[in-house]
Amino acid sequence: MKVVKKKTDDGHIKLDVTASTSDVSDALNRASEVFCMQMGIRPQQGKTPQQVVAEQLGIRDLDSAVAPQAVEMLVAPALNKHNLVPAFTPVPQADTMMKRGKSFQFTLDVVPKPTYELSDYGPVKFNAQPFESDEEAIDQQIGELASNYTTFVATDPHPLGAKDNCKIKMETKKDGEIIAGLTTEGRSYSLGQDLMPVGFDENLVGMEVGETRTFTFEGPGLDEDMNEIMETYETTVTLLEVQKEVVPVIDDEWIEKNMPMYKSLADMREDFGKKINKEREAYYEDYKRNLAARALSERFEGSIPDEIYEGAMREQQKNLRQQVAASGQSWEEFCEKNGGEQQVNMTTMVSMRQSLVQGYCLDAYYKHHGLSYTDQDLDDACFQVNPRNPRGARKQMEKNGLGFALREAAERLRACKHLVETADISYGQPTIVG
C-alpha cells in the first residue's frame, strides 16, 4: 500500500492511498468472511465463500456486495503507514469501485486527534466499593461439586412415576441381536430426562418393584448410506428398585474421605476463592481505573470542535447499530426498549462526550508525566477487547493495521494505572472527588 501524506490549510491531513492488488484481494476476502459469519453461513471444504453464498443466498457477485466494507478495512492500514491517530475514523472517498485483480485509489480527510491541558496533574481522589470475595460463587461451585457425587439409593417402593428415579435390569435387541449398550444387569435410570426415546419412558410408568415388561420402542439409527433413520428395538425391563437422589453434604468429614488434598472445608473454600477471585480482581482493577479516569476528567480544560463531535457521533452510532444487529434485534425494537430513538441518540451523545473527554485527559496526563507503556499494557488493553483471548486480539489488531489504536489504548491504560497507583482512595460508596 502506498500512502502520500499532505497537510491542508484547515489543519487536516489528506492521505492519497493506492492499495495494491494484493491489498484489495485481502480486504475483499476479509469482508467476505465477515459477511458469511454475520449471515450464519459456514465454510465448506473445497468451496470458496463466493460459491457457498451463491448457492445458499443466490448472490452471484459477492465482491460487489462486500466492496464498501472492504474499502473501510483499508482505512486503518493507511493511517498506520504514517502512525496517524485520528480524532475519529475518516470516511474513504473514491471515484471508482473496488475490483479484485486491480489496484484501488481513494483519499482520506483525516482530522488529527487534538491535545489538551489539564487544570491539575496531581493525584486524584475518589471513593470505591471495597473488593469482596464472591461467597455466592464459591457456594455455587461447591454445590456443583456435590451434585457430581450424587448417589441413588432405594426408597419406599411404589408404582413408578413419570419423573421417578429407579434401578432397572434390561436386555435390548434389534433384529434379534442383543445391543450391548442397552443391556445391563442393573443400572440407575431417571425418567423424564430424555435419556431414552419417549416410548421407552412411557412403558416404564406404573411398573411395580419386581415387575418385568417386554415392549418395543423407536430409536435413531443409520442406513447403508449413513442416512439417519428410525429403527425398532425390543427390550425386556425388570424394575429392581425405586430410588431417590442423595446429594452429599460437603463438610470436613466428606472432604477427608473424598478430597484429601484439602485439610478441611475451609481450606477448600479458600482455594476455590483464590481461583474465582483471580479473574474478578482483574475486573476490579479496571473498575478502579474507570473511577480514577472519571475523577481526572473533572480537570478537563478547553472545548471539543463540532466536527469532532459530529464525526465521533457518526462512528458511535454506526458501531451501536452493528451491535444491535449482531444481537438479533431490529433498530426499531432496540429504540422502543430504550425510550425511543431520540432518547437513544441523547444517551449515545452523553456517553460519547464523556468518552472523548476522558480519553483526551488521559492523553494529557500520559504526556505530562512522561509515561511509557509496556508490553504487558498492550496485552492488558487487548484483555478489555477480548478477555478470553487477549493475545489473539492483539495479533488480529496488528494484522489489520490497527497498531496505532492499540498503542493509544496502551498509553491510556498506562495513564490509568499510574492514576490508581498514586490516587487517594477511600473505600465505601463510590463517589468522584477529583
Side-chain angles (χ1 to χ4, degrees), residues 71 93-99 103-106:
V71 174
Q93 302 293 329
D95 295 327
T96 60
M97 285 284 292
M98 175 187 282
K99 290 187 178 180
S103 60
F104 178 68
Q105 294 181 327
F106 64 97

Side-chain angles (χ1 to χ4, degrees), residues 231-428:
E231 298 182 308
T232 300
Y233 295 82
E234 181 182 83
T235 187
T236 298
V237 177
T238 300
L239 179 59
L240 303 177
E241 291 178 349
V242 178
Q243 297 184 324
K244 64 178 180 180
E245 281 187 334
V246 176
V247 180
V249 176
I250 307 297
D251 53 19
D252 289 347
E253 183 180 351
W254 189 92
I255 293 291
E256 182 180 2
K257 181 180 178 181
N258 295 279
M259 305 193 75
M261 72 284 294
Y262 294 113
K263 298 176 182 178
S264 63
L265 175 59
D267 185 36
M268 186 175 72
R269 289 187 68 89
E270 182 180 358
D271 183 56
F272 283 7
K274 286 179 181 178
K275 294 173 182 176
I276 291 171
N277 290 333
K278 185 176 182 181
E279 184 173 325
R280 292 181 65 248
E281 284 169 355
Y283 288 106
Y284 182 70
E285 289 304 310
D286 193 47
Y287 157 74
K288 288 196 296 184
R289 289 193 286 264
N290 284 334
L291 290 177
R294 285 178 57 193
L296 186 71
S297 67
E298 300 293 325
R299 303 174 181 180
F300 180 76
E301 292 188 336
S303 60
I304 300 174
D306 290 342
E307 66 175 342
I308 293 180
Y309 267 129
E310 293 168 1
M313 188 64 180
R314 283 195 302 271
E315 189 172 4
Q316 188 87 337
Q317 288 175 326
K318 177 184 175 182
N319 292 337
L320 180 59
R321 284 179 178 269
Q322 289 176 343
Q323 292 170 9
V324 170
S327 72
Q329 298 180 79
S330 69
W331 177 249
E332 292 72 22
E333 289 172 336
F334 174 78
C335 290
E336 185 177 351
K337 291 179 182 178
N338 291 275
E341 187 166 9
Q342 185 175 0
Q343 180 62 43
V344 169
N345 288 336
M346 183 63 68
T347 302
T348 303
M349 184 178 297
V350 171
S351 172
M352 182 265 303
R353 184 188 185 283
Q354 177 62 30
S355 179
L356 285 176
V357 169
Q358 192 166 293
Y360 293 151
C361 286
L362 291 172
D363 294 338
Y365 186 90
Y366 181 90
K367 181 180 179 181
H368 177 86
H369 287 280
L371 302 177
S372 298
Y373 66 84
T374 66
D375 200 58
Q376 184 62 50
D377 293 326
L378 288 168
D379 284 342
D380 289 347
C382 290
F383 177 84
Q384 296 176 338
V385 176
N386 186 350
R388 293 182 178 273
N389 186 12
R391 281 297 176 99
R394 177 175 173 179
K395 288 181 180 179
Q396 193 65 36
M397 290 182 72
E398 290 171 342
K399 177 182 176 182
N400 293 342
L402 289 166
F404 68 92
L406 182 55
R407 290 188 291 273
E408 178 188 63
E411 289 176 358
R412 291 177 173 180
L413 182 56
R414 170 46 52 188
C416 280
K417 290 179 178 179
H418 190 272
L419 278 170
V420 172
E421 290 166 1
T422 59
D424 178 6
I425 309 174
S426 56
Y427 293 92

Side-chain angles (χ1 to χ4, degrees), residues 60-322:
R60 301 299 173 187
D61 188 356
L62 181 58
D63 280 355
S64 295
V66 302
Q69 290 72 36
V71 174
E72 292 178 357
M73 290 178 174
L74 295 173
V75 172
L79 294 169
N80 207 43
K81 278 285 185 178
H82 290 280
N83 198 26
L84 293 176
V85 182
F88 53 89
T89 303
V91 178
Q93 302 293 329
D95 295 327
T96 60
M97 285 284 292
M98 175 187 282
K99 290 187 178 180
R100 194 182 293 270
K102 294 185 177 181
S103 60
F104 178 68
Q105 294 181 327
F106 64 97
T107 62
L108 294 173
D109 181 20
V110 183
V111 179
K113 183 177 68 172
T115 58
Y116 293 90
E117 292 294 334
L118 306 181
S119 60
D120 181 9
Y121 290 92
V124 295
K125 183 178 181 180
F126 60 89
N127 298 327
Q129 290 281 11
F131 180 83
E132 295 179 352
S133 179
D134 191 344
E135 296 299 319
E136 185 177 336
I138 297 173
D139 289 339
Q140 181 179 348
Q141 190 164 338
I142 292 176
E144 292 172 356
L145 174 66
S147 67
N148 290 335
Y149 283 83
T150 296
T151 57
F152 293 89
V153 298
T155 187
D156 295 336
H158 58 263
L160 204 57
K163 293 186 178 180
D164 275 342
N165 300 299
C166 60
K167 184 176 182 181
I168 58 174
K169 174 184 176 181
M170 63 186 295
E171 181 181 87
T172 305
K173 298 179 180 179
K174 183 172 75 71
D175 299 329
E177 294 186 10
I178 293 177
I179 306 300
L182 297 176
T183 298
T184 176
E185 288 299 311
R187 174 187 299 171
S188 291
Y189 181 74
S190 299
L191 282 74
Q193 301 294 318
D194 295 328
L195 302 175
M196 291 284 285
V198 176
F200 184 87
D201 284 17
E202 289 176 349
N203 280 282
L204 297 189
V205 173
M207 287 185 71
E208 301 274 4
V209 173
E211 181 181 349
T212 298
R213 290 183 182 179
T214 298
F215 55 89
T216 60
F217 63 91
E218 297 293 316
L222 297 174
D223 64 15
E224 295 179 355
D225 297 323
M226 303 304 289
N227 297 314
E228 186 171 307
I229 59 174
M230 295 302 291
E231 298 182 308
T232 300
Y233 295 82
E234 181 182 83
T235 187
T236 298
V237 177
T238 300
L239 179 59
L240 303 177
E241 291 178 349
V242 178
Q243 297 184 324
K244 64 178 180 180
E245 281 187 334
V246 176
V247 180
V249 176
I250 307 297
D251 53 19
D252 289 347
E253 183 180 351
W254 189 92
I255 293 291
E256 182 180 2
K257 181 180 178 181
N258 295 279
M259 305 193 75
M261 72 284 294
Y262 294 113
K263 298 176 182 178
S264 63
L265 175 59
D267 185 36
M268 186 175 72
R269 289 187 68 89
E270 182 180 358
D271 183 56
F272 283 7
K274 286 179 181 178
K275 294 173 182 176
I276 291 171
N277 290 333
K278 185 176 182 181
E279 184 173 325
R280 292 181 65 248
E281 284 169 355
Y283 288 106
Y284 182 70
E285 289 304 310
D286 193 47
Y287 157 74
K288 288 196 296 184
R289 289 193 286 264
N290 284 334
L291 290 177
R294 285 178 57 193
L296 186 71
S297 67
E298 300 293 325
R299 303 174 181 180
F300 180 76
E301 292 188 336
S303 60
I304 300 174
D306 290 342
E307 66 175 342
I308 293 180
Y309 267 129
E310 293 168 1
M313 188 64 180
R314 283 195 302 271
E315 189 172 4
Q316 188 87 337
Q317 288 175 326
K318 177 184 175 182
N319 292 337
L320 180 59
R321 284 179 178 269
Q322 289 176 343

